Amino acid sequence: MKILTVIGARPQFIKAAAVSKVLRSKYNEILIHTGQHYDENMSKVFFDELKIPIPDYNLTVGSGGHGVQTGNMLIKLEDIFVKEKPDLVLVYGDTNSTLAGALCASKLLIPVAHIEAGLRSFNMNMPEEQNRILTDHISTLLFTPTTSAVKNLYNEGIKNNIYNVGDVMYDAVKHFTNISKENSSIIDKLDLLKKKFILTTIHRAENTNNISNLKNIIEALNETSKTIVLPLHPRTKKYIESYNLVLNNNIKVIEPVGYLDMLNLEMNSEKIVTDSGGVQKEAYFMAKPCITLRNETEWVETVEAGWNIIVGTNKDKISKAIAEFSPSGIQKNIFGDGNASTEILNKISECSFN
Ligand code: UD1
Ligand code: UDP
């Protein structure tokens, strides 16, 4: 069987780092990088550090409006799919690269496997929500990370070929945590005291593209007496500059970091403040209190477990949570056992696509 995998954005590189090596133990995988993320610290660093196979194709689509970006991917993917004739196309998550890969395959009647299926924010203003709903409805195999994701699919009438395998990001964390401990010196490099800083990431469109949301978040970070470490996504950097927002000295702004440094920052932080999906889960895996800068989350289990608090972009709520939020619940195994990749391989092996 020939599997063709489409990735393009930072979290997908990390997920592929876990899944690709397992898939390749049995199958021929062709890897396509759409080029959605392209800066060295948003792309190459992950391939190098995590030993992700070099992509067979890079579509170099770059940035642009949703139509331009997704459309360019579709045009380029179709030629490759027609030439490579894969038995299965694999996509991850909810980015424009996910939707392009799934849609292109579906139109060519190639089966699609969606990893991280069934997640919902119930907020159709998010491009990610649009991408994931559309992708799930044209997918053949749906690999869910949580039981609530299974429920969401059922509620939309998708009832077949759902496999609740757990979260591949947990596989990645389990595999790379010790490697991070051995190789990352980011804490010393940034002169940080362990458990004495708040790690923050911001990149969600609803937060960056809205001046009052971004201003509230930055003001809350400015006003805390704690040290904030902020690996800055290029989207957010662009908007902070264009809105002329000023960051106080307690905020250490750094370039986006590689995954090994990121895990190290997470494991040594006091708390995590984020609007990232992946970082919310990693906070849970590392048993760190997570403060989520959104009005809802797809990762409801982390909130129900008491380890994640949803504060939106209300300045006072953010400040209060930074000062006071303390998890109350005992941690449970809500994301599987860290062997999702092997379960995915086993399920794919049971299906015949020829
Ligand atoms: C994308 C995904 C989002 C995911 C995130 C992971 C979509 C709609 N959004 O958001 O779901 O959580 O990736 O990080 O697919 N840029 C650079 N260099 C890069 C990449 C981006 O400068 O290497 C800048 C460009 O100005 C670009 C902007 O960041 O316009 C946004 O990039 P884009 O890939 O469109 O969306 P993300 O915010 O990264
Ligand atoms: N990440 C990283 N370096 C950074 C910021 C994030 O390696 O500077 C990792 C993070 O640990 C997680 C993934 O990127 O594994 C999350 O990606 P992102 O927040 O960009 O997207 P999302 O998960 O929200 O789609």
Side-chain angles (χ1 to χ4, degrees), residues 137-182:
H137 282 262
I138 52 177
S139 288
T140 320
L141 301 179
L142 298 109
F143 293 113
T144 53
T146 56
T147 46
S148 64
V150 178
K151 228 178 280 166
N152 291 336
L153 293 173
Y154 264 70
N155 288 341
E156 289 173 22
I158 303 174
K159 300 206 163 132
N160 296 320
N161 299 320
I162 300 171
Y163 303 104
N164 195 28
V165 292
D167 199 309
V168 296
M169 289 192 92
Y170 188 33
D171 297 19
V173 165
K174 275 180 78 172
H175 182 75
F176 288 109
T177 292
N178 281 338
I179 300 175
S180 162
K181 284 181 185 163
E182 281 158 21

Side-chain angles (χ1 to χ4, degrees), residues 36-39 63 95-96 128 203-204 233-235 238:
Q36 176 169 351
H37 286 174
Y38 46 85
D39 288 349
S63 304
T95 71
N96 288 346
E128 292 85 359
H203 77 279
R204 204 55 63 198
H233 190 290
R235 169 198 279 280
K238 199 171 73 179

Side-chain angles (χ1 to χ4, degrees), residues 81-205:
F81 287 11
V82 167
K83 181 176 136 212
E84 293 285 354
K85 299 186 180 41
D87 300 298
L88 181 69
V89 165
L90 190 68
V91 295
Y92 296 91
D94 53 20
T95 71
N96 288 346
S97 299
T98 314
L99 178 62
L103 186 55
C104 187
S106 170
K107 297 268 182 179
L108 292 170
L109 308 182
I110 302 166
V112 177
H114 185 202
I115 295 182
E116 237 181 44
L119 275 300
R120 296 291 180 268
S121 65
F122 303 100
N123 175 359
M124 275 302 270
N125 290 334
M126 292 178 72
E128 292 85 359
E129 184 79 349
Q130 300 173 20
N131 289 340
R132 38 173 112 93
I133 290 178
L134 293 168
T135 300
D136 282 340
H137 282 262
I138 52 177
S139 288
T140 320
L141 301 179
L142 298 109
F143 293 113
T144 53
T146 56
T147 46
S148 64
V150 178
K151 228 178 280 166
N152 291 336
L153 293 173
Y154 264 70
N155 288 341
E156 289 173 22
I158 303 174
K159 300 206 163 132
N160 296 320
N161 299 320
I162 300 171
Y163 303 104
N164 195 28
V165 292
D167 199 309
V168 296
M169 289 192 92
Y170 188 33
D171 297 19
V173 165
K174 275 180 78 172
H175 182 75
F176 288 109
T177 292
N178 281 338
I179 300 175
S180 162
K181 284 181 185 163
E182 281 158 21
N183 291 282
S184 170
S185 54
I186 186 97
I187 301 297
D188 290 342
K189 250 194 258 165
L190 296 178
D191 210 8
L192 295 168
L193 293 174
K194 289 183 180 177
K195 314 249 164 68
K196 296 277 183 221
F197 65 90
I198 309 280
L199 177 65
T200 300
T201 75
I202 313 160
H203 77 279
R204 204 55 63 198

Side-chain angles (χ1 to χ4, degrees), residues 244-342:
N244 290 316
L245 299 177
V246 177
L247 278 62
N248 283 357
N249 287 339
N250 66 313
I251 306 180
K252 277 187 195 265
V253 178
I254 56 175
E255 291 289 313
V257 292
Y259 186 59
L260 299 181
D261 280 344
M262 187 64 183
L263 289 180
N264 218 269
L265 287 169
E266 289 172 342
M267 70 180 84
N268 287 303
S269 65
E270 178 192 340
K271 291 181 185 174
I272 293 178
V273 175
T274 192
D275 61 10
S276 158
V279 176
Q280 285 177 67
K281 287 184 284 179
E282 285 162 2
Y284 189 80
F285 302 147
M286 310 267 179
K288 298 292 172 181
C290 184
I291 297 159
T292 295
L293 303 168
R294 291 182 46 199
N295 294 318
E296 69 280 308
T297 181
E298 302 78 29
W299 305 104
V300 285
E301 290 84 354
T302 59
V303 177
E304 287 160 7
W307 284 79
N308 188 359
I309 183 169
I310 304 295
V311 293
T313 54
N314 179 296
K315 191 181 128 192
D316 294 337
K317 279 194 189 170
I318 301 170
S319 300
K320 190 166 186 290
I322 289 177
E324 293 173 14
F325 176 56
S326 172
S328 48
I330 296 165
Q331 284 223 327
K332 291 188 215 131
N333 232 3
I334 48 189
F335 293 102
D337 57 7
N339 289 308
S341 308
T342 304

